[in-house]
Amino acid sequence: NAGVMQNPRHLVRRRGQEARLRCSPMKGHSHVYWYRQLPEEGLKFMVYLQKENIIDESGMPKERFSAEFPKEGPSILRIQQVVRGDSAAYFCASSPDRSLEAFFGQGTRLTVV
Amino acid sequence: ELKVEQNPLFLSMQEGKNYTIYCNYSTTSDRLYWYRQDPGKSLESLFVLLSNGAVKQEGRLMASLDTKARLSTLHITAAVHDLSATYFCAATNDYKLSFGAGTTVTVRA
């Protein structure tokens, strides 16, 4: 059973471009969570999705950021018109139920130049 | 909002000695996690603590939880070099993890 798969592992974007980060949860997991880790900081919750539904997006910046988890395919975190402050590691986690432990992927390290 | 404070933020350990990392959280939490993160890597789950008085041990690491004091500790016994990493605690209500800022541990000879 493969773990949580994120790709790409590293992503470089110029200011103003779009970044798309993908997350395939573990088999049997329908709950996905995205977290952001700024340099030298702990992880901060961004959004919680369950197949086709956004359950909690209270940690998402109001503009430029969106997330989806379609019926088929991976969860996508999309950042439009990236700025330098978006440079961070973005981690995805998944769980079979919201009350159970979530397991983290390897993360995508976004660098905006 | 559930806030989590960890201290110290940096810990230089001498091989063979014992150390403790502290994790305080602000409101009631369902569970308390400890994770290890190596540079450029993901989070490795070390312990999940569910109830007051819970104590778990794995090798040189031991974690405990006092829900009344809203305090968890990670105790390191006889530090060795391969324990060098950043350690995070995280408290949770329902699904949302609130992380501490992390403790960067360096073990020196």
Side-chain angles (χ1 to χ4, degrees):
Chain A
N1 187 7
V4 178
M5 304 299 290
Q6 288 188 250
N7 68 83
R9 295 287 306 279
H10 300 273
L11 183 61
V12 179
R13 283 288 177 267
R14 295 187 184 279
R15 280 178 296 171
Q17 290 185 319
E18 178 179 288
R20 278 183 180 243
L21 288 63
R22 293 175 186 77
C23 169
S24 295
M26 289 178 69
K27 188 176 180 180
H29 289 194
S30 60
H31 300 253
V32 165
Y33 317 84
W34 286 92
Y35 288 81
R36 176 164 67 174
Q37 185 179 31
L38 295 170
E40 311 299 327
E41 292 187 15
L43 281 70
K44 298 279 196 293
F45 170 81
M46 298 182 75
V47 62
Y48 161 36
L49 308 106
Q50 192 183 359
K51 278 291 184 182
E52 300 184 272
N53 293 305
I54 297 174
I55 308 299
D56 180 354
E57 57 181 348
S58 59
M60 290 272 274
K62 293 286 185 282
E63 297 177 351
R64 302 187 297 107
F65 284 72
S66 62
E68 62 176 9
F69 187 17
K71 187 176 179 181
E72 301 291 338
S75 175
I76 307 285
L77 180 66
R78 182 180 176 208
I79 311 172
Q80 295 178 290
Q81 299 173 336
V82 296
V83 300
R84 289 228 170 101
D86 297 332
S87 295
Y90 292 82
F91 288 95
C92 167
S94 74
S95 68
D97 184 273
R98 61 192 278 164
S99 64
L100 299 176
E101 182 176 4
F103 295 91
F104 284 84
Q106 296 284 325
T108 293
R109 281 152 182 86
L110 172 66
T111 303
V112 179
V113 297
Chain B
E1 183 186 346
L2 180 53
K3 294 191 186 301
V4 179
E5 286 190 3
Q6 248 179 277
N7 69 84
L9 298 183
F10 298 93
L11 190 49
S12 179
M13 298 186 182
Q14 190 172 350
E15 276 188 339
K17 294 200 171 177
N18 304 334
Y19 298 87
T20 301
I21 300 171
Y22 299 89
C23 175
N24 287 93
Y25 54 97
S26 60
T27 63
T28 303
S29 172
D30 300 330
R31 285 161 282 167
L32 195 293
Y33 293 88
W34 284 96
Y35 294 93
R36 169 182 171 143
Q37 186 180 39
D38 291 287
K41 304 292 186 184
S42 187
L43 281 81
E44 174 191 354
S45 177
L46 297 173
F47 301 106
V48 182
L49 302 168
L50 300 176
S51 58
N52 188 42
V55 177
K56 290 194 175 180
Q57 183 161 7
E58 182 74 35
R60 299 175 188 276
L61 302 178
M62 183 175 73
S64 65
L65 179 62
D66 181 343
T67 58
K68 293 179 182 176
R70 294 181 186 150
L71 171 68
S72 180
T73 60
L74 181 66
H75 188 71
I76 299 168
T77 302
V80 293
H81 180 72
D82 65 6
L83 291 179
S84 296
T86 298
Y87 293 83
F88 291 96
C89 66
T92 182
N93 272 329
D94 202 356
Y95 53 85
K96 190 184 296 186
L97 291 164
S98 297
F99 283 84
T103 298
T104 299
V105 167
T106 305
V107 181
R108 64 186 191 282

